[in-house]
Amino acid sequence: KDVSKYYKHETSSLIVEWNLGGHSMGAYNALQAWAASDDESELPSVILKNKKSVSRMGSDIVVWAGGNLVDGVVPNLRINRRPPLRVLVLNGSKDGIVKMSPQQKRELLSRLPKSTTELRTIKGANHSGFASYDTASKKSSTFAMNGPRTISLEAQHSEACSQTIRFL
């Protein structure tokens, strides 16, 4: 589908940058996808229908409710690229699934860009509050581990979105 018609621009070409992100295991997939290319020229891109516009992967990754599974899951992203990779790791203070020990936090930070990684926490937020689950999912045993949220789901969604927008 030609998406260039949805953008108003004054030049004859358009560059659309999109970034990666995910919740829980999807966040780890975003980190791994970015690491899958050896250099910037290998980052996924698409030439749009008008042949003058390019859609390409940007250099920002947003991780919601992730970061504690480091060994074998988080690739080494301390590589020099232009523009530099920026990573936001946003977790909840009440997350019962992603509980990072000081050692896990050190290991995570050792694999992410030193000067462009931000670790943030939403007070009162839990694991499932970064998403919207159906009723059947809420009855699973995994869902019970996700921690007692002390803020409303709407407040957690709003804060996660606000922090993500500020980061991007």
Side-chain angles (χ1 to χ4, degrees):
K1 186 174 183 180
D2 182 11
V3 297
S4 62
K5 65 184 176 187
Y6 299 107
Y7 296 91
K8 292 184 179 184
H9 50 90
E10 298 176 13
T11 62
S12 60
S13 66
L14 171 73
I15 296 176
V16 179
E17 254 189 25
W18 44 276
N19 295 293
L20 295 175
H23 166 249
S24 196
M25 291 309 292
Y28 296 114
N29 288 334
L31 293 167
Q32 291 169 354
W34 207 91
S37 61
D38 291 325
D39 62 53
E40 189 176 327
S41 66
E42 293 183 16
L43 293 176
S45 64
V46 176
I47 297 176
L48 302 177
K49 192 175 180 180
N50 70 3
K51 308 266 192 283
K52 297 179 181 177
S53 300
V54 176
S55 172
R56 68 177 180 218
M57 186 162 69
S59 57
D60 296 337
I61 299 176
V62 177
V63 173
W64 281 0
N68 62 327
L69 302 176
V70 179
D71 282 341
V73 180
V74 176
N76 180 12
L77 295 175
R78 283 204 172 181
I79 37 183
N80 293 322
R81 287 204 184 154
R82 293 284 173 235
L85 172 65
R86 296 179 340 119
V87 180
L88 169 64
V89 179
L90 185 57
N91 289 320
S93 67
K94 298 292 186 177
D95 192 327
I97 295 173
V98 176
K99 296 180 267 187
M100 276 200 281
S101 69
Q103 175 63 26
Q104 287 171 311
K105 191 180 281 189
R106 281 191 299 277
E107 287 176 26
L108 174 65
L109 291 173
S110 76
R111 295 176 190 222
L112 300 177
K114 188 174 186 173
S115 62
T116 56
T117 295
E118 297 180 31
L119 290 172
R120 299 183 192 166
T121 302
I122 299 175
K123 187 175 180 178
N126 70 358
H127 193 81
S128 67
F130 285 97
S132 296
Y133 290 99
D134 62 10
T135 305
S137 297
K138 292 178 182 177
K139 294 178 182 175
S140 76
S141 60
T142 304
F143 198 84
M145 299 182 332
N146 106 90
R149 187 176 54 246
T150 58
I151 59 175
S152 71
L153 180 60
E154 294 77 21
Q156 184 169 341
H157 282 179
S158 177
E159 185 61 24
C161 289
S162 293
Q163 289 203 36
T164 299
I165 289 168
R166 280 195 301 271
F167 174 76
L168 296 173

